[in-house]
């Protein structure tokens, strides 16, 4: 891939390809001096002296030595020849000579292995944004405390919830400082490219302040915890080397603040709590709203000052306090056309998790986003489009999902966020993972890291290793299993080109296009892994011999096995998974449809996939169907899952857990893990039988942790994750698995005697990628609460009772419509999420008896909810609904929505 | 049984008094008429002990204050009153354990300072000088 030369290197680029060192350094010096802002007697905060010297030395290589000075000191940095060559030839990173200098000054080692990476720019918010902040800002106890601490010469960190007015407070201080003649550097840490070099770059570009004082604003410090150490080290260096009088004013979540305070001793940040409630009170004091309207605004705003301000402004036009629906309308006003709707929805989904959309990433949405910006519905700050505060993003997202059918038209919010992370590059992913590693929620730091970041690093290396193996042989030795699992891992690790290479071979190797075909058929003979199934049959014969006269539980002896049919059923599951999870640009709906039709023809009468003796074949097909986005509402999935859960006595495979049916070839632990994963992924609730199997599986830890059984271990970890919906019990074993895979990558041991070995690495890699992604999704949802799940109550389809009926006075049996049922199910999800969050926020270093009681109460609530959920069906007693409602009101408090109550049967079937 | 833990502001107030006493003593000796009966060195030592006692007490107050801040950051909105109260108490108790050393040192400095007060005990008579 050729890279266009970046801007700012005119003289260097004029030299042509591969100039010699002397010419390169001379030209680079000229390019650097051109970029300096010190013309016309101006002097930058960090002033570059024009006499940059060229240094030739064999010891550390040639370089350009630049002297930079400020009022209180000076220092020299060296721009190496290799770094200059790398920076001047890579346009994607956009490293200009001045940016390269800021990288060097910020402490980056510009050695031979240095690779240019984009550096974010520290820019003050636009005047319009500052004006908005000044409308929002009021003097509160928090703002007075900030002023006091800053006056005392301390560095300050403003902590608080979303929408509490942190940024407005900081913007107010920044404006005051600018008026005094101080310099201000404003860095929004939401862009993962923002870091120490961004601050240095800003100081190199902006004029020296009149007072010699500088305020460095670090907005949303929690967004990129990875750079916190280098950032503060750089600030210390700027103070010590250049004598710059810098004061730091940061904003952050409460939980991240605790981490930052526990950092290095020289980081004496004073935390000041900003409370949305106080700011809203101050905003209301100056308004003309009466007491009732004020109370309604408070309740609507839920401590979000931005919402309160909008509500007060709308009060003037509407003549009443707006509702959430009014706010949604207001935030989506003047949106016309599908393009603008999609752009606003996607930006809202990202905004809910405080992500932004950089202008260069916007692509085809650039034009609609620009139109939205002009209409005042989105903002362009620091080279990225933003929707504004999180609550606003949530309202827009909900509106889009309700009114524009956004889920169906442009993916679900989780998918949009994950796609953004996928395409956002390594730094965005790492910043996100480090946040998940360290924080449970905005209020709570995590006592033990999840090691997601470490896991991700290893996964990246694993992906590269798989890609190089794949480049050598995309058929993986004509082994279908290895190729499919490798493709799955490569897709998840963002190597779509490698996936395509496998697809080209695989789609030509297996045929299922014939409308009447019963199973996929290989082209030009069986694929290599068929040999495994021949050995599997042998293993089954050995098992039968050991069983003696007792027939196998499934009633089938190995001699009756049709190996080809079993193999093709297994292949069917793999192909379903492969095509169902294809990257968007390679997704072929007709192939998925054909495979689903084949699955419908291939299943046995009782729902299983041949042979009934080997349940993992059925589980594999169910997993494939799930990857093709089918769940329990599809008859093939439902029947297969029901069969998997059927007891042996009733002709099923389940006997408190699942036996492999293939002798010693597969272990019972792996089979049970696979069946559990298949059931949970298909959407089967954790039934008592599944809980028993899960408990049995976890009790067999000594078996599945034996070295060499990585396939079993990865399957068990995935099943445990799905069954418990928490990463807590997975962490330690995940580390073990990663450690073994790292060793495996260093010293590959391919054992030709064990055919399973051929797919071990691709299989485990695919599982690991799956597990890490699942943890990321689970923990993201915990970190950001029930934002994605919470939706306002749907509009009534029939007149609804808004008040909980008294069970004693109304007939007990009621009917819920599908819509009502879904609303209650969402309510239950909300309660579950709230309970999980509340337990997590008490999971800290201190646990008192009152906290223990509260946790016990929450656990009991969860049990009660579980029982009530079991009763939640189309027709049932009103009492459980009233109990769910009471539980919701108690646990979710003001966020609990009004849910639709069922109509008494008398309204539907009048008494005769 | 819960221990009554002094508040950081009370400790800071006391520290202010001690420091004031020490400095006051020093200024009165330096600005007042010379008194051959009173050793200037002893007064200087006594005033230093008062200031040291104040410093140790400030240290203890700082530890308690830090604990309160920790507790504030830990306490979430959803916690009930009993939890909030117990958490604060727990953090304070922990801080009090950490503050034992500065408190003991404060006590020692204070006792020494009181004993060295000029005119309170005639040490030369006690020690037979």
């Amino acid at each position: 891939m050729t890279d266009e030369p970046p801007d700012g290197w005119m003289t260097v680029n004029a030299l042509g390809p591969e100039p010699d060192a002397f010419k390169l350094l001379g030209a680079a010096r000229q390019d650097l001096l051109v970029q300096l802002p010190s013309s016309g007697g101006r002097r930058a905060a960090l002033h570059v002296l024009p006499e940059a010297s060229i240094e030739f030395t064999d010891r550390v290589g040639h370089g350009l030595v630049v002297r930079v000075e400020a009022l209180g000191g000076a220092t020299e940095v060296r721009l190496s020849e290799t770094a200059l060559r790398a920076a001047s030839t890579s346009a994607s990173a956009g490293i200009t000579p001045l940016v390269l200098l800021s990288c060097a000054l910020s402490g980056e080692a510009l050695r031979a292995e240095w690779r240019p990476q984009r550096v974010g720019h520290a820019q003050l918010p636009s005047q319009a944004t500052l004006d908005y902040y000044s409308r929002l800002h009021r003097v509160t106890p928090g703002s007075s405390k900030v002023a006091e601490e800053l006056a005392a010469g301390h560095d300050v960190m403003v902590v608080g919830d979303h929408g509490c007015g942190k940024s407005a407070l900081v913007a107010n201080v920044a404006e005051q400082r600018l008026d005094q003649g101080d310099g201000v550097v404003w860095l929004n840490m939401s862009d993962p490219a923002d870091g120490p070099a961004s601050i240095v770059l800003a100081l190199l570009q902006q004029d020296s302040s009149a007072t010699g004082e500088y305020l460095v604003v670090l907005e949303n410090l929690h967004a990129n915890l990875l750079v916190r150490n280098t950032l503060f080290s750089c600030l210390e260096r700027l103070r010590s080397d250049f004598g710059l009088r810098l004061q730091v004013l940061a904003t952050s979540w409460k939980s991240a603040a605790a981490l930052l305070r526990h950092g290095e001793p020289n980081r004496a940040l004073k935390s000041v709590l900003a409370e949305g409630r106080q700011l809203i009170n101050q905003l209301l004091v100056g308004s003309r709203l009466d007491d009732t309207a004020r109370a309604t605004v408070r309740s609507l705003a839920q401590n979000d000052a931005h919402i309160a301000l909008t509500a007060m402004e709308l009060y003037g036009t509407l003549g009443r306090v707006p509702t959430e629906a009014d706010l949604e309308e207001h935030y989506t006003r003047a949106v016309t056309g599908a393009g603008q709707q999609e752009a606003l929805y996607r930006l809202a989904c990202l905004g809910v998790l405080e992500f932004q959309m950089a202008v260069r990433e916007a692509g085809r949405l650039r034009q609609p986003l620009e139109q939205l910006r002009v209409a005042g519905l989105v903002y362009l700050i620091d080279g990225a489009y933003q929707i504004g505060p999180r609550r606003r993003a949530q309202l827009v997202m909900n509106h889009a999902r309700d009114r524009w059918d956004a889920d169906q038209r442009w993916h679900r919010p989780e998918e949009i966020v994950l796609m953004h992370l996928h395409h956002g590059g390594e730094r965005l992913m790492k910043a996100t993972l480090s946040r998940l590693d360290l924080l449970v929620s905005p209020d709570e730091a995590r006592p033990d890291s999840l090691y997601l970041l470490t896991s991700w690093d290893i996964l990246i290396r694993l992906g590269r290793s798989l890609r190089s193996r794949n480049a050598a042989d995309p058929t993986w030795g004509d082994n279908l299993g290895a190729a499919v699992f490798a493709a799955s891992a490569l897709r998840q690790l963002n190597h779509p080109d490698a996936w395509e290479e496998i697809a080209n071979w695989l789609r030509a190797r297996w045929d299922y296009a014939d409308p009447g075909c019963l199973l996929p058929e290989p082209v030009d003979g069986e694929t290599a892994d068929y040999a495994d199934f021949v050995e599997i049959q042998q293993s089954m014969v050995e098992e039968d011999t050991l069983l003696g006269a007792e027939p196998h539980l499934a009633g089938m002896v190995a001699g009756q096995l049709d190996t080809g049919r079993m193999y093709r059923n297994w292949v069917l599951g793999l192909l379903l998974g492969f095509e169902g999870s294809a990257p968007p640009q390679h997704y072929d709906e007709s192939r998925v449809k054909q495979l689903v039709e084949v699955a419908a023809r291939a299943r046995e009468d009782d729902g299983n996939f041949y042979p009934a003796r080997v349940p993992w074949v059925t589980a594999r097909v169910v997993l494939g169907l799930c990857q093709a986005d089918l769940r329990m509402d599809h008859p093939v999935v439902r029947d297969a899952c029901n069969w998997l859960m059927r007891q042996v006595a009733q002709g099923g495979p389940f006997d408190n857990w699942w036996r492999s049916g293939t002798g010693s070839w597969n272990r019972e632990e792996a089979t049970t893990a696979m069946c559990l994963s298949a059931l949970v992924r298909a959407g089967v609730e954790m039934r008592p039988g599944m809980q028993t199997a899960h408990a049995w599986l976890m009790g067999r830890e000594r078996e599945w942790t034996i070295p060499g059984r990585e396939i079993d271990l990865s399957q068990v970890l995935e099943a445990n994750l799905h069954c418990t919906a928490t990463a807590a019990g997975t962490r330690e074993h995940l580390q073990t698995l990663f450690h073994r895979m790292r060793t495996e990558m260093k010293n590959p041991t391919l054992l030709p005697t064990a055919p399973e070995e051929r797919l071990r690495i691709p299989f485990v890699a695919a599982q690991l990628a799956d597990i890490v992604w699942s943890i990321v999704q689970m923990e993201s949802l915990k970190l950001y609460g029930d934002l994605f799940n919470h939706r306002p109550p749907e509009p009534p389809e029939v007149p609804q009772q808004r008040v909980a009926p008294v069970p004693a006075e109304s007939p007990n049996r009621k009917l819920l419509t599908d819509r009502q049922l879904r609303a209650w199910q969402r309510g239950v999800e909300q309660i579950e999420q709230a309970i999980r969050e509340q337990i997590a926020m008490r999971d800290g270093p201190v646990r008192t008896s009152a906290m223990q009681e509260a946790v016990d109460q929450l656990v009991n609530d969860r049990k009660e909810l579980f029982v009530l959920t079991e009763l939640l069906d189309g027709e049932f007693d009103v009492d459980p609904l009233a109990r769910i409602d009471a539980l919701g009101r108690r646990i979710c408090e003001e966020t609990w929505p009004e849910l639709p109550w069922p109509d008494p049967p008398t309204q539907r079937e009048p008494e005769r | 049984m819960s221990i009554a833990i002094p508040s950081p502001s009370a400790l800071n107030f006391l520290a202010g008094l001690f420091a004031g006493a020490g400095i006051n003593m020093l200024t009165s000796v330096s600005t007042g008429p010379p008194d051959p009966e009173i050793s200037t060195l002893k007064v200087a030592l006594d005033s230093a002990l008062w200031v040291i006692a104040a410093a140790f007490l400030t240290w203890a107050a700082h530890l308690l204050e830090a604990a309160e801040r920790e507790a504030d950051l830990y306490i979430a909105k959803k916690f009930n009153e009993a939890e909030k109260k117990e958490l604060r108490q727990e953090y304070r108790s922990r801080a009090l354990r950490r503050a034992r050393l500065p408190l003991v040192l404060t006590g020692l400095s204070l006792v020494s300072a009181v004993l060295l007060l000029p005119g309170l005990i005639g040490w030369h008579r006690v020690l037979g000088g």
Side-chain angles (χ1 to χ4, degrees):
Chain A
M1 192 179 77
T2 55
D3 229 356
E4 289 294 314
D7 294 335
W9 299 96
M10 281 80 72
T11 323
V12 171
N13 291 328
L15 295 174
E18 298 297 322
D20 67 44
F22 182 73
K23 283 184 181 164
L24 174 85
L25 295 173
R29 177 172 58 184
Q30 207 170 330
D31 284 335
L32 174 66
L33 296 178
V34 166
Q35 287 206 325
L36 297 180
S38 52
S39 56
R42 287 167 57 208
R43 192 179 169 86
L46 286 179
H47 177 67
V48 181
L49 295 178
E51 50 272 12
S53 61
I54 296 171
E55 185 183 81
F56 286 98
T57 153
D58 289 335
R59 195 168 49 82
V60 287
H62 314 314
L64 192 63
V65 178
V66 184
R67 188 170 171 79
V68 182
E69 67 174 24
L71 290 177
T75 194
E76 280 184 351
V77 283
R78 194 168 176 287
L79 308 179
S80 69
E81 181 199 338
T82 49
L84 285 165
R85 281 189 197 279
S88 63
T89 51
S90 168
S92 54
I95 302 284
T96 63
L98 207 58
V99 174
L100 183 68
L101 178 63
S102 58
C103 290
L105 282 168
S106 67
E108 274 186 50
L110 303 182
R111 297 198 194 100
E113 62 274 15
W114 179 80
R115 293 285 168 271
Q117 281 192 308
R118 187 173 67 84
V119 171
H121 287 241
Q123 287 174 339
L124 271 176
S126 66
Q127 193 52 47
T129 311
L130 288 174
D131 289 346
Y132 170 73
Y133 283 148
S134 69
R135 269 196 294 142
L136 184 68
H137 179 70
R138 295 290 184 280
V139 175
T140 60
S143 70
S144 309
K145 180 78 178 158
V146 168
E148 203 177 289
E149 295 287 2
L150 286 173
H154 296 137
D155 290 340
V156 178
M157 176 157 48
V158 186
V159 299
D161 291 339
H162 301 276
C164 68
K166 298 189 289 287
S167 299
L169 194 163
V170 168
N172 179 58
V173 175
E175 283 199 286
Q176 283 175 11
R177 290 297 185 93
L178 284 170
D179 291 344
Q180 287 170 20
D182 291 356
V184 173
V185 176
W186 185 297
L187 196 63
N188 186 340
M189 303 296 294
S190 304
D191 181 356
D194 281 344
S198 313
I199 295 176
V200 177
L201 181 63
L203 292 170
L204 282 168
Q205 286 175 322
Q206 70 174 240
D207 289 350
S208 175
S209 80
T211 57
E213 305 274 348
Y214 296 88
L215 180 74
V216 177
V217 175
L218 303 173
E219 196 184 10
N220 298 329
L221 202 49
H222 58 264
N224 193 356
L225 292 167
L226 269 184
V227 297
R228 64 188 193 277
N229 287 336
T230 49
L231 197 62
F232 283 97
S233 305
C234 174
L235 289 169
E236 280 309 308
R237 217 170 23 253
L238 288 171
R239 283 171 174 150
S240 59
D241 291 358
F242 296 102
L244 284 176
R245 296 207 293 275
L246 297 173
Q247 221 175 355
V248 176
L249 179 57
T251 67
S252 174
W253 286 348
K254 230 166 147 183
S255 49
L259 285 176
L260 291 158
R261 273 187 299 107
H262 293 150
E264 293 163 23
N266 58 0
R267 199 181 300 151
L269 283 169
K270 295 275 177 186
S271 289
V272 177
L273 189 65
E275 289 193 71
R277 186 175 46 83
Q278 289 174 343
L279 180 54
I280 293 171
N281 285 343
Q282 291 299 319
L283 286 167
L284 288 170
V285 163
S287 72
R288 55 190 175 82
L289 275 65
D290 59 33
D291 285 349
T292 320
R294 286 182 185 188
T296 318
V297 168
R298 280 196 195 95
S299 153
L300 177 75
Q302 293 170 19
N303 291 339
D304 187 315
H306 301 271
I307 297 290
L309 185 67
T310 310
M312 287 159 59
E313 286 172 351
L314 282 179
Y315 184 83
T317 48
L318 294 174
R320 59 176 168 81
V321 176
T323 60
E324 279 206 347
D326 293 327
L327 289 175
E328 286 182 9
E329 287 293 338
H330 176 72
Y331 291 139
T332 55
R333 67 192 184 276
V335 175
T336 51
Q340 286 188 16
Q341 286 180 345
E342 182 185 353
L344 194 64
Y345 169 64
R346 283 183 183 272
L347 203 60
C349 294
L350 298 180
V352 166
L353 300 196
E354 299 189 345
F355 290 129
Q356 308 162 354
M357 192 185 288
V359 173
R360 64 196 152 69
E361 289 168 9
R364 63 188 171 80
L365 297 178
R366 177 88 189 269
Q367 194 186 354
L369 279 169
E370 205 43 41
Q371 290 161 348
L372 292 169
R373 189 185 68 79
V374 173
L377 295 179
V378 305
Y379 306 100
L380 181 61
I381 300 173
D382 208 3
Y385 290 103
Q386 298 179 10
I387 198 159
R390 200 176 77 169
R391 179 89 191 284
R392 173 175 177 164
Q394 195 182 358
L395 288 168
V396 173
M397 184 184 79
N398 286 347
H399 181 86
R401 293 173 81 181
D402 284 341
R403 304 290 171 82
W404 302 339
D405 194 19
D407 281 6
Q408 294 298 320
R409 289 167 71 189
W410 312 296
H411 299 290
R412 288 180 54 78
E414 302 92 298
E415 291 164 346
I416 288 173
V417 170
L418 291 178
M419 274 191 279
H420 176 75
L421 285 176
H422 250 316
H423 299 135
E426 208 170 319
R427 278 190 294 184
L428 177 64
M429 179 55 92
K430 285 186 170 179
T432 311
L433 292 182
S434 71
R435 192 164 22 162
L436 294 177
D437 263 350
L438 298 168
L439 310 178
V440 180
S441 71
D443 284 336
E444 182 64 33
R446 198 181 290 285
D448 302 307
S449 167
L450 284 175
Y451 297 105
L452 286 176
L453 190 58
T454 326
S455 309
W456 184 254
D457 273 338
I458 301 172
L459 261 184
I460 293 286
R461 271 186 274 158
L462 202 54
R464 286 184 193 137
S465 157
L466 285 179
R467 192 175 63 171
S468 65
R469 283 192 192 195
N470 190 63
D473 177 15
T475 73
W476 290 78
D478 199 33
N479 185 316
L480 177 83
V484 168
F485 292 126
S488 169
L490 287 164
R491 178 188 59 79
Q492 301 204 62
L493 299 171
N494 217 7
H495 298 293
D497 47 340
W499 187 95
E500 192 183 3
E501 286 172 13
I502 295 175
N504 290 340
W505 165 74
L506 199 145
R507 286 174 174 172
R509 190 72 177 80
W510 281 85
D511 181 34
Y512 41 86
D514 182 358
C517 78
L518 291 174
L519 281 168
E521 286 299 329
V523 178
D524 296 335
E526 303 286 0
T527 24
D529 43 1
Y530 177 71
D532 296 357
F533 283 73
V534 175
E535 289 194 37
I536 286 174
Q537 189 181 19
Q538 192 52 44
S539 184
M540 290 163 80
V541 170
E542 285 166 16
E543 187 184 25
D544 285 352
T545 313
L546 283 172
L547 286 171
E550 292 284 321
H552 190 274
L553 288 174
M556 175 197 268
V557 290
Q560 298 170 335
L561 182 74
D562 180 346
T563 317
R565 193 171 160 205
M566 176 183 173
Y567 177 57
R568 281 161 180 71
N569 269 326
W570 182 71
V571 168
L572 172 65
L574 290 184
L575 291 176
L576 271 164
F578 179 79
E579 295 294 350
S581 60
Q585 63 270 37
H586 301 298
Y587 185 78
D588 186 342
E589 199 175 345
S590 63
R591 283 180 178 277
V592 176
K593 206 172 155 196
Q594 284 167 4
L595 283 164
V596 174
E597 285 168 5
V598 172
R601 286 193 291 273
R603 67 174 170 161
E604 303 289 308
D605 292 340
D606 57 358
N608 81 83
F609 287 82
Y610 182 87
R613 174 171 166 168
V614 186
W616 53 259
V617 173
T618 301
R620 172 54 59 199
V621 178
V622 172
L623 284 169
L625 289 164
C626 292
Q627 283 176 282
D629 226 12
L630 299 177
R631 295 290 182 274
M632 279 293 276
D633 50 0
H634 192 276
V636 179
V637 180
R638 189 183 57 232
D639 293 350
C641 289
N642 287 341
W643 178 79
L644 279 173
M645 281 305 298
R646 201 167 296 153
Q647 295 283 343
V648 172
Q650 294 158 356
F654 186 65
D655 186 24
N656 286 332
W657 60 88
W658 288 269
R659 290 179 165 76
S660 74
T662 53
S664 59
W665 184 270
N666 303 100
R667 278 167 287 275
E668 294 179 359
E669 292 82 17
T671 308
T672 300
M674 199 165 159
C675 291
L676 277 174
S677 290
L679 289 167
V680 178
R681 284 182 75 161
V684 180
E685 293 288 326
M686 280 297 281
R687 299 175 190 172
M690 288 162 71
Q691 283 169 348
T692 310
H694 177 245
W696 173 83
L697 186 62
M698 299 322 287
R700 304 278 294 173
E701 185 177 338
R702 285 178 66 179
E703 290 296 316
W704 44 260
T705 48
I706 292 174
R709 294 188 183 174
E710 283 74 33
I711 289 185
D712 295 12
L713 177 55
S714 63
Q715 284 184 323
V716 172
L717 292 184
E718 193 189 23
N720 185 41
L721 201 61
H722 286 308
C723 290
T724 59
T726 168
T730 310
R731 186 170 56 87
E732 194 186 324
H733 296 306
L734 195 60
Q735 287 306 299
T736 311
L737 191 54
F738 270 116
H739 177 69
R740 289 189 196 165
M741 289 312 289
R742 199 161 42 185
T743 318
E744 183 75 29
M745 275 193 294
K746 283 179 189 160
N747 310 301
T749 51
L750 201 65
L751 303 174
T753 49
E756 193 195 54
E757 290 294 315
R758 280 194 284 271
L759 54 82
R760 186 154 64 109
I761 290 196
F763 180 83
V764 176
Q767 292 285 103
L768 281 175
D770 253 347
I771 293 169
V772 171
W773 269 117
S774 301
I775 297 177
V776 168
Q777 290 180 45
M778 273 176 207
E779 295 302 321
S780 298
L781 287 177
K782 277 185 208 163
L783 186 58
Y784 296 101
D786 56 352
L787 291 168
F788 286 146
N789 292 328
H790 175 68
R791 309 265 305 268
E794 295 178 23
E797 53 183 349
V798 287
Q800 295 173 3
Q801 264 176 274
R802 280 291 174 193
V803 180
V806 181
E809 290 176 5
S810 57
N812 276 345
R813 303 299 288 177
K814 299 286 173 74
L815 274 175
L816 278 180
T817 62
D818 285 348
R819 188 182 285 254
Q820 288 173 333
L821 183 61
R822 278 201 302 277
W824 281 94
Q825 282 167 342
R826 276 201 301 276
V828 166
E829 279 172 22
Q830 191 182 336
I831 300 174
E832 269 177 3
Q833 180 69 33
I835 290 177
R836 208 177 301 142
E837 269 187 8
Q838 290 196 28
I839 291 177
M841 73 173 64
R842 288 172 173 86
D843 186 17
V846 175
R847 175 71 73 89
T848 66
S849 57
M851 288 171 84
Q852 189 57 50
E853 274 171 30
V855 170
D856 291 344
Q857 176 65 43
L858 286 165
V859 170
N860 287 336
D861 288 342
R862 187 157 59 184
K863 281 182 192 156
E864 187 187 350
L865 187 69
F866 183 70
V867 173
L868 293 171
T869 312
E870 294 281 301
L871 300 172
L872 201 58
D873 204 344
E875 186 183 344
F876 59 99
D877 289 342
V878 170
D879 185 44
L881 279 192
R883 283 164 65 193
I884 291 175
D885 189 55
L887 210 53
R889 283 181 197 287
R890 183 158 57 79
I891 289 167
C892 304
E893 294 176 355
E894 67 268 23
T895 60
W896 181 246
E898 285 293 342
L899 291 173
W901 291 90
D903 304 313
T906 46
Q907 288 183 4
R908 290 169 179 241
E909 296 169 15
E911 284 180 15
R912 290 173 193 163
Chain B
M1 192 186 78
S2 66
I3 314 158
I5 299 168
S7 71
S9 52
L11 294 186
N12 275 327
F13 174 72
L14 278 177
L17 286 185
F18 296 162
I23 291 163
N24 199 18
M25 195 178 281
L26 207 60
T27 45
S28 51
V29 169
S30 60
T31 56
D35 186 347
E37 295 274 311
I38 296 169
S39 153
T40 313
L41 187 68
K42 217 188 277 179
V43 171
L45 179 65
D46 193 29
S47 65
L49 280 171
W50 281 105
V51 174
I52 287 169
F56 285 136
L57 204 54
T58 311
W59 178 14
H62 170 75
L63 290 176
L64 290 176
E65 207 174 346
E68 284 194 351
R69 207 165 47 233
E70 288 279 322
D72 281 343
L73 284 169
Y74 186 21
I75 290 170
K77 269 186 294 189
K78 299 265 180 187
F79 285 10
N80 60 40
E81 284 309 313
E83 284 178 286
K84 287 178 186 172
K85 195 177 163 193
E86 278 191 8
L87 255 179
R88 283 188 207 287
Q89 184 68 23
E90 178 63 27
Y91 269 98
R92 277 191 184 175
S93 308
R94 288 180 178 206
L96 195 64
R97 281 199 290 279
R98 283 200 298 271
R100 274 179 307 192
L101 176 65
L103 286 174
V104 167
L105 291 172
T106 306
L108 287 176
S109 323
L110 203 60
V111 169
S112 317
V114 170
L115 293 179
L116 276 182
L117 276 177
L120 188 71
I121 299 171
W123 287 106
H124 59 283
R125 284 195 297 273
V126 173
L127 300 173

